[in-house]
Every structure is written in C-alpha cells, then in structure tokens.
Amino acid sequence: MGEKFVVMQGDEACARGAILAGCRFFAGYPITPATDIAEAMSAKLPKVGGTFIQMEDEISSAAAIIGASLAGVKSMTATSGPGFSLMQEAIGYASMTETPVVFVDVQRTGPSTGFPTKTAQGDIMQARWGTHGDHAVIVLYPSTVEEVYKYIVTAFNFSEIYRTPVIFLMDETVGHMRESFYLPDPDEFTIVDRILTKDMDQNTIYQPFLEESELNDEIQPLVSMGSTRFHVSGLFHDESGFPIGNADMASKLMKHFVNKINLHLDEILIYDSYMVDDAEYLIIAYGTTARSAYRAIKLARSNGIKVGLFKPITIWPFPINPLKKLISRISGIVVAEMNMGQFAHEVSRINKKNVPMETVLREDGELIQPYDIVEALTRLTNEHEE
C-alpha cells in the first residue's frame, strides 16, 4: 500500500498506533487533555473486534486493563495528572504481577486540578517513582505526532517483551497538536504478539514467574488465563504465583524486576542526537520542549555557538551512559523542561566532572521559547570565555 500523507492530532495518533500495535481493550475515564484518545478508541476499537469501556473512575480503569491483559488481550488506558495519581497503586500491582499494560499520561499543569488545558512536563518523576516500593519502569516520551504513532507501538512491544507496565508520556501540546506526516505502511512495523494459548491441559502446572536465567535469558511469556491455571497475587510470590514469606525469595524477585530491564538497556534506550559531532555545548530536552531546542540550535549556530541536542525518548531507564559520553567532551549543558528541574536533577547527578550547567525551566503552563534557550547558551559561552 505504501506511505500515505496524513494530517493527524497527537491523541488520535496515539489511538491509531495502539490499535496497530494490537491493542484490543481500552478502559478509561474522561479527563483533559487525554479525552480525545478515549474518543478515538471508542470509535475505532469496535471496528477491529476490540472493546472500549468508560469506567466510573481512573482506579477502576487501571484495574480493568490489568484484568483484560491477564485474560490475553493487549490493553491500554489514557489519563492526565490527577487520574495518573489515582492509577499509581495499580501500576505497582502490574509491576509485581508482571502484567503487560500501557498507561498513557497526557500531562497538564499541576499539581491537583491545576490548568487542565495548559501544557507541562511535571510528571517525569511521578512516572518513575509514583507507585510505592522499589520497581523498574519503562517510560517513553515522543515530541512529534509522527513519533506518537511510532512509539506507542514500541510501548506495547516493550510491555510484551519485558512483561511490565509501560508508561507513555505526552504533554498537552503534543496531544492536541495537528501535524502532517507520512503514515508508514503497517508492514513496516514489527509487532510483538501475545502468546494467547498453549495447548495445555487444565491440570498442567504453569509457572508464569520464572526468572530469565532459567529460560536462557528470555523472560517467561505470559499465557492467558483460561488456557491453563495459574495464580496471580500482589504479594511476594514464588514461580507459580503463590504468596511467600521467605526473605531470600523476596529479594530474588525484587532483583528480577530490576534486572529484566537493566540487562536489556541496549534494546530499551531510545534517543536522538542532533549536530553533536562538533558541539561544544549540549542542550538536553524532550517532548514539546525539544522542538524549541531544534530552533534554538539554528539560532545559536548562526551566532557562532557550536551546540547540539540530546533528545531522550526513553526517559526511564535514565540514559546514563549515552549522556556521560556526550558530557565528557563538551564545555556546557543546558537542560530545558516545563517543570522545576526534574530531569535536570538526574543530569546533575551524573555530571561528575561538574561541567557548567544552565536550566531553562517553566512551570506556568506556557511553552519554553527558543530564545529562552539561546539566552541560557549565551550565558554559558560568556562564562566559558571569562
């Protein structure tokens, strides 16, 4: 069929990409600026044999997609800040039960009700640490409508491969933006399908929580409930899913949660770099703010400032090694984000050589402008020349 030129809204691209990825169940509750995703799913899912359900709140929505996933259906919900807060306990449960699900959070200015129609990037740390207890997490964050369509497929693939909840961050600007791009042919995408059934007798003992090392470094695939019997519990559990009280086994399970992500960073970490080969300065930006950073680079280079961009798409796990390599050979860093320095905090943590760093922050619901970033770059260059 080939590529088709389309104009599409970010939220719609999220819904269409999810369906392409094989999502066949959506449970959610309306909330600005994520409601357009639910509306698109309500119209499109029934056409492909899927199910859309509006739940009574975000807590039940999160629980519903976990149940649907365990039953063998790729599942997703979408929300914004207040709803994302309500979903945190369920995210922890999905982590403990190793249930593949996708949570979309279209960020708005907060905390609390905040500015429902204004943009923000304030949920970076909540996406990583929102649920209680130590846990690993995969968080993706696109910056264009085309990337939304592309990387929501990746989110579902990661969820299936690593049997984990994946959080897909957007911001209000990306969610509500309409942009033109070439819609790839579906055949261009690799889709990781769910193993729905194995020809198992109902009396077969299926152990859904075996470690990678026992399966030649492969994570145990999830077989749908109903094809055989297995137990699921939010408690610490053994390989069969039944609760345990053994400290050594609990420690082993916790390390498994982390290792199944950390041992596969080469496959999970996604990032873009722009004009970094000769860069003396580096801008770090993501989501909508990265769009301003591209323009800032052009303006700065026209003034003789050699600057490049590092744009993480995988926000968590944090891209430590790629950033360390870049930071080791530059003279200054500018971190730009629409919050009060959440990602900048992590950059500071790995900046062991104390490379001079400026932040361009905004927490009022308005976009960071390219000129704001150029001003920070100018301050860095002036300090370096002095």
Side-chain angles (χ1 to χ4, degrees), residues 268-304:
I268 293 171
L269 291 180
I270 305 169
Y271 53 88
D272 289 337
S273 55
Y274 178 67
M275 301 191 79
V276 298
D277 291 343
D278 66 339
E280 297 175 2
Y281 299 90
L282 183 68
I283 301 169
I284 300 171
Y286 52 88
T288 294
T289 307
R291 302 170 71 101
S292 294
Y294 281 114
R295 176 61 178 159
I297 288 171
K298 293 179 180 178
L299 292 171
R301 282 188 171 260
S302 68
N303 292 325

Side-chain angles (χ1 to χ4, degrees), residues 10-29:
D11 281 352
E12 181 189 357
C14 181
R16 290 181 60 168
I19 290 172
L20 173 66
C23 179
R24 293 297 180 268
F25 183 85
F26 181 99
Y29 188 79

Side-chain angles (χ1 to χ4, degrees), residues 127-139:
R128 176 63 188 92
W129 297 110
T131 195
H132 57 283
D134 288 315
H135 63 288
V137 69
I138 299 176
V139 181

Side-chain angles (χ1 to χ4, degrees), residues 65-72 93 97 99 194 222-225 230 232:
I65 66 169
I66 293 171
S69 181
L70 288 169
Y93 184 81
T97 59
T99 306
R194 177 71 62 87
L222 181 65
V223 174
S224 59
M225 281 186 166
F230 64 94
V232 176

Side-chain angles (χ1 to χ4, degrees), residues 78-270:
T79 188
S80 189
F84 192 52
S85 296
L86 292 171
M87 291 179 177
Q88 293 304 321
E89 183 179 1
I91 292 173
Y93 184 81
S95 298
M96 177 64 87
T97 59
E98 298 185 76
T99 306
V101 280
V102 174
F103 291 82
V104 179
D105 174 21
V106 189
Q107 298 162 95
R108 68 194 208 184
T109 313
S112 191
T113 313
F115 282 147
T117 59
K118 295 284 189 176
T119 195
Q121 295 176 315
D123 300 352
I124 299 300
M125 283 297 177
Q126 187 186 31
R128 176 63 188 92
W129 297 110
T131 195
H132 57 283
D134 288 315
H135 63 288
V137 69
I138 299 176
V139 181
L140 303 182
Y141 194 163
S143 64
T144 69
V145 174
E146 182 178 10
E147 287 182 353
V148 171
Y149 186 82
K150 174 182 177 182
Y151 289 120
I152 191 66
V153 175
T154 304
F156 275 94
N157 285 347
F158 282 171
S159 183
E160 296 295 325
I161 294 168
Y162 303 108
R163 274 190 60 185
T164 186
V166 173
I167 295 169
F168 193 75
L169 287 181
M170 298 163 61
D171 50 66
E172 182 276 335
T173 305
V174 171
H176 282 164
M177 175 188 300
R178 283 176 170 80
E179 220 168 17
S180 59
F181 66 97
Y182 284 99
L183 190 69
D185 190 290
D187 293 338
E188 296 180 27
F189 289 88
T190 298
I191 306 296
V192 178
D193 292 321
R194 177 71 62 87
I195 298 175
L196 293 177
T197 60
K198 289 182 177 179
D199 293 328
M200 292 180 174
D201 184 89
Q202 285 293 313
N203 294 318
T204 300
I205 298 175
Y206 167 58
Q207 294 183 316
F209 303 105
L210 292 175
E211 291 191 42
E212 302 97 315
S213 60
E214 299 177 60
L215 288 164
N216 300 317
D217 294 327
E218 292 183 4
I219 297 164
Q220 172 76 318
L222 181 65
V223 174
S224 59
M225 281 186 166
S227 62
T228 188
R229 295 187 299 176
F230 64 94
H231 192 76
V232 176
S233 172
L235 294 166
F236 281 104
H237 48 263
D238 61 16
E239 292 88 346
S240 298
F242 285 94
I244 56 171
N246 182 286
D248 289 339
M249 291 185 72
S251 176
K252 188 177 178 182
L253 187 62
M254 289 289 285
K255 289 173 181 174
H256 161 69
F257 294 153
V258 174
N259 287 338
K260 72 177 181 179
I261 303 300
N262 288 345
L263 294 177
H264 299 90
L265 292 181
D266 288 344
E267 294 85 28
I268 293 171
L269 291 180
I270 305 169

